[in-house]
Amino acid sequence: MTGSITARYARWDGVGRPFCVASTSLTEPLRPGHVLVAVDLATVCGSDLHTVLGHRVSPCPSVLGHEQVGTVVGVSDEEPSLAVDGTPLAVGDRVVWSVTVSCGRCALCERGLRQKCRGLRKYGHERIDDGWLLSGGFATHCELLPGTAIVRMPAQVPDAVAGPASCATATVACTLAAAGPLAGRRVLVSGAGMLGVTATAMAAEADAEVVVVDPDARRRSLARRFGAAEVAGSIGGTESFDVALELSGSPDAVETSVRALRTGGRAVLAGSVSAGRPVAVDPERIVRGLLTIAGVHNYRAQDLVAGVRFLAEHHGRYPFAELVGRGHRLDRIDAALAAARSSPEVLRQAITP
Ligand SMILES: [Zn+2]
Ligand SMILES: [Zn+2]
């Protein structure tokens, strides 16, 4: 990297406090294996909203944001960083990157559970005074660390469609991978938010028959446009599904998902990411029905690759671009978060720094 770059970032100082846009001059050469990216568009994920509203404990001050697409503006001269496909990254590459940074050496990484690395760091979820300032997407620039899965985003995918790839799309790809083969299977999707409609489109493209359950009528009609064969406000105790994808996080929906499975069925839970009541399952049904219940958290590099490939190949067939609102400027980030809270019909608010 040559010359000096001024980066601006939205600092989050804690629940109930406004964001503060600050700037920093980047004059030092990039450290080995680090990549500097100019953020073109970031989207506000539900978990950013949970953080700001105090529904989950998050370190602060911090730079939030972990769904974004950007352009590489600096690579280390000493040790260039590689994309997931093994090719060196270069200035000008359009990229998305994983939410997590893994060490690659600890016992969990060695076992193939890099998404749960013992030394895990997460974009948009780090204290600023920890030696890593530009760690989130709500900024003009983000510094990518070694151990990040970086994937090039094909030019035909618009920014608004590409932004959610690194959280929503990759998480759904991981959920579907855990669900096993989908062709010809009857699949229940619980929750028609960003993850739910993405899962609906991905499962429909995999030739599944997808039934989407959501209490909100607007979201049900959205799910139809993403390939749902049927939609419902609720389902009874019918054992008629081969796969149940639980993306809403509702304990009731978790119970329904397991009850809805027929023999050999598989429930994949990805929505339950905050404390909820314990759920009731009937172990005899699990035993006699040969059922499997799997959990998915974070995701693997190959899931981000699969998510990007899906968007590149199929985004034109589904109204992904309509899910994202018009971009707010970085200094209007408080308005973006307020809109995310007050306009749930827009599944993602965007920030264009
Ligand atoms: Zn590790
Ligand atoms: Zn997220």
Side-chain angles (χ1 to χ4, degrees):
M1 190 171 51
T2 52
S4 158
I5 288 177
T6 300
R8 295 187 309 128
Y9 56 95
R11 194 183 69 218
W12 180 66
D13 287 319
V15 177
R17 304 182 61 180
F19 282 84
C20 163
V21 177
S23 63
T24 181
S25 255
L26 306 171
T27 49
E28 300 284 311
L30 277 171
R31 284 172 281 175
H34 288 231
V35 179
L36 187 68
V37 177
V39 176
D40 295 317
L41 178 140
T43 41
V44 178
C45 172
S47 61
D48 293 312
L49 203 56
H50 286 311
T51 297
V52 169
L53 296 175
H55 295 165
R56 66 171 194 168
V57 180
S58 296
C60 70
S62 63
V63 183
L64 302 181
H66 55 273
E67 282 189 348
Q68 64 283 296
V69 58
T71 306
V72 174
V73 292
V75 293
S76 155
D77 297 330
E78 213 176 314
E79 188 193 318
S81 188
L82 303 179
V84 163
D85 63 9
T87 56
L89 286 159
V91 168
D93 284 349
R94 183 175 186 238
V95 292
V96 293
W97 55 95
S98 55
V99 173
T100 54
V101 185
S102 315
C103 77
R105 295 180 302 274
C106 71
L108 285 168
C109 283
E110 292 270 332
R111 278 171 52 195
L113 299 171
R114 292 176 70 109
Q115 72 272 47
K116 302 302 288 184
C117 170
R118 286 196 201 286
L120 196 75
R121 306 188 82 185
K122 291 183 90 164
Y123 289 90
H125 203 66
E126 297 283 329
R127 267 188 81 85
I128 273 178
D129 54 6
D130 202 17
W132 185 25
L133 173 60
L134 298 173
S135 59
F138 299 161
T140 57
H141 296 76
C142 190
E143 185 177 352
L144 312 193
L145 307 187
T148 304
I150 306 172
V151 179
R152 287 190 189 81
M153 179 59 73
Q156 76 264 27
V157 183
D159 280 349
V161 176
S166 59
C167 184
T169 322
T171 301
V172 168
C174 190
T175 304
L176 261 58
L182 294 175
R185 306 285 160 96
R186 195 166 146 83
V187 175
L188 173 67
V189 172
S190 301
M194 191 75 191
L195 269 69
V197 296
T198 304
T200 301
M202 269 195 203
E205 285 297 332
D207 293 325
E209 180 193 354
V210 186
V211 179
V212 178
V213 173
D214 194 292
D216 185 304
R218 242 179 342 210
R219 289 191 173 198
R220 288 200 295 275
S221 54
L222 188 62
R224 280 224 182 264
R225 299 174 64 206
F226 278 84
E230 287 173 48
V231 295
S234 64
I235 56 161
T238 53
E239 298 172 12
S240 63
F241 292 93
D242 304 297
V243 169
L245 308 174
E246 207 306 290
L247 303 169
S248 74
S250 145
D252 291 352
V254 173
E255 289 172 345
T256 304
S257 295
V258 177
R259 271 203 308 267
L261 296 175
R262 57 189 171 204
T263 300
R266 184 176 275 258
V268 186
L269 314 181
S272 307
V273 287
S274 53
R277 69 167 175 83
V279 297
V281 293
D282 174 359
E284 188 188 1
R285 274 218 60 233
I286 297 174
V287 170
R288 292 186 187 279
L290 310 180
L291 307 186
T292 305
I293 303 173
V296 158
H297 188 230
N298 299 337
Y299 57 81
R300 307 154 302 170
Q302 64 261 44
D303 301 312
L304 182 57
V305 172
V308 169
R309 192 186 305 128
F310 171 81
L311 290 177
E313 290 174 3
H314 302 294
H315 78 89
R317 297 186 57 181
Y318 303 96
F320 280 105
E322 287 179 31
L323 305 179
V324 178
R326 218 153 25 91
H328 298 261
R329 283 174 10 206
L330 191 60
D331 54 8
R332 298 276 298 149
I333 185 167
D334 286 302
L337 268 296
R341 194 179 173 184
S342 62
S343 312
E345 71 280 3
V346 179
L347 296 184
R348 286 291 189 270
Q349 294 293 331
I351 294 159
T352 45

